Amino acid sequence: MTVHRQWVEGATIHGSVIQAREINSLHLGAERPLYAVSAFPLTRPAISDTWVRQQPARLLDARYALVDFTGRHDELARLAAWRDGPERVSAFLVHGPGGQGKSRIAEQFARSSHVDGWRVFQARHVTAGLLSPSVPIGGRVGDGAGVLMVVDYAERWPTADLIELLLDAVRQGGRVRVLLVARPRGTWWQHLVHRLGDFDIPASDLALPGLSDDAGVSSQTLFRTARDCFAQALGVREAHAVVPPEGLSADPEYRQVLAVHMAALAAVDAHRRGRAAPDGAAAVSAYLLARERAHWETLHGNARVRITPHAFGQVVYTAAMTSALSYREALAVLSRIGVGSGEHADQILKDHALSYPADGGGIGGTVLEPLYPDRLAEDFLALSVAGHGIDDFAPDPWALDAPRRLLDGDALPCRRRVLATLVATAARWPHVREAQLGPLLRERPELGVAAGGATLATLSEIAGLDPEVLEGIEAHLPDGPHTDLNSGAAALAQRLADHRLGRTQDPEEQARLLNALAQRQSHAGLHDQALKSGRRAMAIRRGMSTAHTDAAEPSFAVVLCDVGVYLAKDGQFADALAATGQAVRLLRRLGDEQPGRHADALALALSNYAADLATEGQWAQALDIVQEAVEIRRRLVVEAGPDVPAAQRAPLAATLANLAICLSHAGRREEAHTAAQEAVAIQRDLARTNPHTHEPALASALVNLSRRSTHVSRPAQAREAAREAVAVLRRLAEVSPAAYEEDLAAALLNLGACLAPLNHRAETCQVLEETAAIRRRLAKRHPRQYEPALAASLESLGLEAFRAGQHSRAHLAWSEAIDLRGRFAATGGDRERADLAGLLCTITWMRLAQGRELSHALATIEEAVALLWPLASRPGRLGARLPEAVDLHARTLTALNRPDEAKDVRRRLMRFQSGDLERGGDPAGTTHGVGDWNGPW
């Protein structure tokens, strides 16, 4: 059942519930908090004239929106078109470098949306300084107005939590638009879009162009507009005397809106103070930061703060690294980083808050409010470290090891933000890359993994970063898929593959690199790229094999197996079968030539080959192949001794599960049940010690056991296994839908089969409806791969809905299934036509059994019989279905009081079979046969 949780102003969203004040009858859960929701600030806060003269950089804070919004007409029009589109829920990403104006355009769009009647909220991740749920509630979603949710710094969210926020958007029940704002649009976004597609949530993006690309505004115009606004705020007359810097039009640094605003502010303030305006973007930052430092000196000189200006700068540095924190977290951070002050940490925080009060006046209960805007804060971090080359800004030796001190010891809650900020700063300032980021990651490469997928992707794209640093990080990545790291791991693999491929002429190494890249791309859901990389690796291996290069053939077989997996994921099942079949033949020959070697690779290839054979309907051969794979796996387990590792037990369990399926299709159901039980026992034991790795396989084994238990008349065991499998897969699919949603759909379908005999119609229909919804989403993205499974789900849903008396629901499901099966039959072969006929027979029987819509039933069964007549003269079990269909045809005619025609159709069949027809029995027997044709149960 979908959990509806509405967005509420001042709420803290947890793993599956909302916690907020002043709401009655609300379940309070213990799940970890994910993000906080608050009303988007639509009014601009007041700002003191005295304050901005002391700290002019405050005028750059996007919250004050001091400079009149200029240009961006095309971009705002595109955002409005997205907002007003027909979709119920959709996402849009605005991305660009820091200082490009992303926050300003998001704010402008939020204000215009509010004017147009939309409710506007903002979401902040827990790691960004979680807001307390204690602010007054100003209303809730669901009153008919559309909702716009703005998410800044989206690239810093864990992918799973962004997915959760988007699913919450679906749960709101009305029109919802989620506007994401981020710097990079790299693989983290590709991965997110791929996964949103699994939930049928459309997503698009806009790269915010630089000033030179905006026809509505020039850098000169923007400078003059900002100059006039700043001059008014600072009380400067004759603003026209402040002229743009000479390099404004030519310097690429000034292509960003914020850089021009900073130059205008520095020029106006310098004019007010009778100083020369700074020249160049770095000098502008140094000037504005020097004004901040002068303010700290004034505060200390007037005894308004106890900490020295030097210590004040260290606290500002700390806040720039961590962003706002809770009081308790801030105390831990100050203790860790070692600010050079004799004052107590509480006094340090109070002194800092005097100049940098918490956002919202302290409502959130946070301290260490950072310097704004982000670009200026990053510049302060960079200028605090020696090597920047700006004469007017002295570095602080304390800062060199400050990030290291923050990241040493147990992980602080703000660790991800520290890493993200350091990486963003290093991307713009080479000396930070060389003096801090590079050495830190050389010493502690695991931090690159701890940063998360999005920051890892940004890190991978930093020009000049030594590839050895990235190689150290690579060594700490998990071997298999990981929800939060997949996008970054793929970007890192691409960067290293490009580097390594350009440095080696060894085809063995080239193929290995490409195969490893393909695996990372596949984990990230980049299946097209994975298939491309895998095919490149396969082409190299094939050339090596042809040339009889040493050790080429075993590697060629391995890459053939991998490419077979990518082809199967892409729906190219025949090509997948060819690839795995070639791998098996190659490894068999190598095993004959080198006894005792390649057994593990051969067992894997055999298991994959058996799965591909089964997919293509070649069950007898698949059974022979998988039995051989099991024999090899058992021998390897015995050879491993009493302390057999998971690396040997897990493949045995997976192969046993495949064996159980093939045995069942061969009618050896008790043997199949035994094999399935053994597979579950192994996987359950492995999952106890390492659930992250083995729970997916356990869920698959449980589904298999459930089906095998049904076939040997153990319904209670079947239901228990089915429910456990659904619970495991639902949890996995919430974290990684691209990897596990189809498995969840299959498990739900199986659960429906277990519930149906109990006459739990409502629950069964609900389960099958969810199955069809999942597969419908998947089929939109990969129709060739998922449409057959969708058709099976719809057939089962129609059957149960009809039994439950929900005839309209059944009609809709069957109509969709017939459309799909009809397309398959038009382009396929005998099997596809027989499947369509089987569906038509099922529909006919249900109508006949309930005495409903008999004229429609007659038309349906006549179509089925017409499809089956040509198949009856051909060998195989497809032709054997005709007698059952003819029996249904005759029964339908009899029910319509047309007994003579019923006798005619029976006589026709008897003549066709030379009078040898021994059919009859009760309707239940006929229905059982029809049900077996379609296989939904």
Side-chain angles (χ1 to χ4, degrees), residues 172-212:
Q172 298 308 303
R175 296 181 68 205
V176 182
R177 301 291 180 262
V178 178
L179 177 63
L180 306 171
V181 182
R183 288 189 179 183
R185 179 201 172 275
T187 50
W188 77 271
W189 173 247
Q190 298 177 37
H191 185 48
L192 179 64
V193 170
H194 175 82
R195 293 177 58 183
L196 291 182
D198 294 331
F199 290 106
D200 203 22
I201 300 175
S204 50
D205 70 282
L206 168 66
L208 201 60
L211 289 174
S212 61

Side-chain angles (χ1 to χ4, degrees), residues 600 603-604 607 629-630 633-634 636-637 645-658 682-683 686 694 697:
D600 189 79
L604 175 62
S607 185
V630 169
R633 289 294 180 198
R634 288 197 187 282
L636 292 173
V637 167
Q648 294 290 358
R649 297 177 67 203
L652 171 61
T655 311
L656 281 167
N658 287 342
I682 295 172
Q683 297 289 12
L686 293 171
H694 297 292

Side-chain angles (χ1 to χ4, degrees), residues 481-549:
H482 189 288
T483 304
D484 186 40
L485 294 172
N486 286 335
S487 60
L492 179 65
Q494 184 69 68
R495 169 77 180 271
L496 288 176
D498 291 343
H499 168 71
R500 292 162 172 168
L501 288 170
R503 297 170 63 90
T504 180
Q505 299 299 317
D506 180 9
E508 171 72 21
E509 178 67 6
Q510 290 174 340
R512 186 190 66 79
L513 291 170
L514 287 166
N515 198 41
L517 173 60
Q519 290 174 351
R520 290 296 184 189
Q521 290 168 330
S522 180
H523 295 333
L526 307 174
H527 298 307
D528 292 343
Q529 296 179 33
L531 183 55
K532 181 179 179 180
S533 299
R535 279 176 162 160
R536 286 178 63 193
M538 188 170 66
I540 294 173
R541 299 284 192 195
R542 182 178 286 113
M544 294 169 62
S545 182
T546 302
H548 301 291
T549 305

Side-chain angles (χ1 to χ4, degrees), residues 7 79 81-93 118 147-149 165-166 169-170 174-180 189 196 200-204:
W7 281 329
L79 283 168
W82 159 71
R83 180 197 62 199
D84 299 334
E87 297 85 4
R88 189 167 66 87
V89 176
S90 61
F92 196 98
L93 170 69
W118 287 71
V147 175
L148 172 66
M149 176 67 78
L165 181 141
L166 267 297
V170 174
R175 296 181 68 205
V176 182
R177 301 291 180 262
V178 178
L179 177 63
L180 306 171
W189 173 247
L196 291 182
D200 203 22
I201 300 175
S204 50

Side-chain angles (χ1 to χ4, degrees), residues 17-54:
V17 297
I18 292 179
Q19 290 187 351
R21 293 183 62 188
E22 301 177 11
I23 296 181
N24 296 324
S25 303
L26 184 66
H27 171 65
L28 299 181
E31 293 85 349
R32 67 182 179 93
L34 298 183
Y35 61 93
V37 174
S38 59
F40 192 92
L42 297 169
T43 59
R44 298 170 182 174
I47 186 168
S48 164
D49 293 343
T50 302
W51 191 15
V52 298
R53 289 190 178 94
Q54 296 169 341

Side-chain angles (χ1 to χ4, degrees), residues 662-675:
C662 292
L663 285 169
S664 181
H665 273 267
R668 297 159 60 179
R669 293 183 169 180
E670 284 292 347
E671 294 175 74
H673 183 256
T674 300

Side-chain angles (χ1 to χ4, degrees), residues 55 57 111 191 241 290 352 378 396 403 467 478 480 652 687 732 846:
Q55 293 176 276
R111 292 180 189 279
H191 185 48
H352 175 267
E378 292 165 8
D396 183 354
L652 171 61
L732 292 171
M846 294 308 298

